[in-house]
Amino acid sequence: MTIPSAPHVDIRWSDVSTDADLVAYSRDYAESAVATYDYRLPSLSVVADWSVSGRAKRRAAVVKHPKIPGAGVGDRLDWDATRREHGDRLPAPDSRFDSLRECHVVCSRRAADAFDEAEWRRVLRHELVHVEQFARFGATGHGAWFRDRAATVNADRHCPTFHRGRYLIRCRGCGAVVADRCRRCRTTRLAGLSMREQRERLGPTDCCGAFYELEDTRTGE
């Protein structure tokens, strides 16, 4: 659901109930965070659209942006040269962006309902690092640049999980969940192998140096 632009309104986290409230709160905090944590953004005008998704189960929020040909995190992008080469809009599916330089922030309603205010603010600071990446490089990612930058703004490299998938991959040593997946995939297949096969094909867990066990939460297996 896309929320139309509205005049600035201060709203407390405890008063957030509608999608419009969530957008208003998030936009307001983002403005404050850009100033407080010295994000390298002249303004938040690069974020052309804030919206709320009621379907997202895995990502607390996401920054969507045009896929700029040849762009990579760490390589400062010459936006003027890019515009001369590609025009101000890219072909479909990137044509949904009105400008080559704009991005959209999509917030998960389920994540906002699951998190407290401090957790949601950390999510927003995480996404603002992506906004900063896009403004500087025309690309985003969670690599070393993101890791180092996130640490300076007190944000997580990866947003906290608010929904567990059907398949939990646990460390056999301590039982900690090291990954979760919504469906069968290569990761879950490997985690379901015998110990002998895992030793041949996988590295041990970082926490205990043990290997993996697969739990199907729908069956208890």
Side-chain angles (χ1 to χ4, degrees):
M1 175 183 179
T2 299
I3 310 300
S5 297
H8 174 82
V9 176
D10 288 326
I11 183 169
R12 295 179 301 179
W13 180 251
S14 59
D15 293 332
V16 171
S17 59
T18 68
D19 289 351
D21 291 342
L22 180 59
V23 164
Y25 178 92
S26 299
R27 185 187 288 137
D28 181 60
Y29 177 71
E31 291 281 2
S32 173
V34 165
T36 301
Y37 290 93
D38 194 27
Y39 283 89
R40 296 156 194 164
L41 291 168
S43 73
L44 268 180
S45 61
V46 64
V47 182
D49 180 74
W50 290 79
S51 61
V52 176
S53 170
R55 297 179 298 171
K57 294 182 178 180
R58 305 287 290 173
R59 294 186 294 193
V62 62
V63 173
K64 296 186 176 182
H65 58 81
K67 302 300 185 288
I68 310 299
V73 174
D75 299 321
R76 186 176 290 277
L77 188 68
D78 184 333
W79 284 102
D80 291 335
T82 300
R83 182 178 288 109
R84 288 194 297 270
E85 182 176 358
H86 300 288
D88 200 49
R89 296 179 70 173
L90 295 174
D94 287 317
S95 58
R96 67 183 181 276
F97 299 97
D98 290 333
S99 167
L100 193 70
R101 298 193 65 168
E102 76 173 38
C103 62
H104 301 168
V105 176
V106 183
C107 304
S108 166
R109 178 79 251 181
R110 296 184 183 187
D113 289 342
F115 293 157
D116 62 23
E117 183 174 20
E119 290 172 317
W120 185 247
R121 287 186 170 196
R122 288 178 73 88
V123 166
L124 293 173
R125 293 197 298 274
H126 172 106
E127 298 307 328
L128 285 172
V129 176
H130 285 306
V131 172
E132 183 182 68
Q133 285 182 321
F134 176 69
R136 298 182 68 191
F137 310 124
T140 63
H142 290 104
W145 192 98
F146 189 99
R147 178 199 62 211
D148 295 342
R149 187 69 178 117
T152 68
V153 299
N154 192 24
D156 300 302
R157 185 177 184 181
H158 299 285
C159 287
T161 300
F162 67 94
H163 172 83
R164 287 297 190 194
R166 174 176 178 175
Y167 298 101
L168 302 184
I169 301 169
R170 296 185 181 275
C171 170
R172 286 181 179 269
C174 64
V177 175
V178 296
D180 65 279
R181 298 291 185 272
C182 287
R183 59 180 65 87
R184 279 284 186 180
C185 62
R186 181 177 183 273
T187 302
T188 55
R189 289 197 298 272
L190 291 174
L193 295 175
S194 67
M195 287 289 293
R196 179 182 61 80
E197 292 174 304
Q198 286 190 30
R199 289 191 181 96
E200 293 173 354
R201 301 180 61 178
L202 297 170
T205 59
D206 292 334
C207 51
C208 298
F211 284 85
Y212 309 89
E213 59 184 2
L214 182 65
E215 176 187 349
D216 185 336
T217 60
R218 294 189 186 177
T219 64
E221 296 178 357

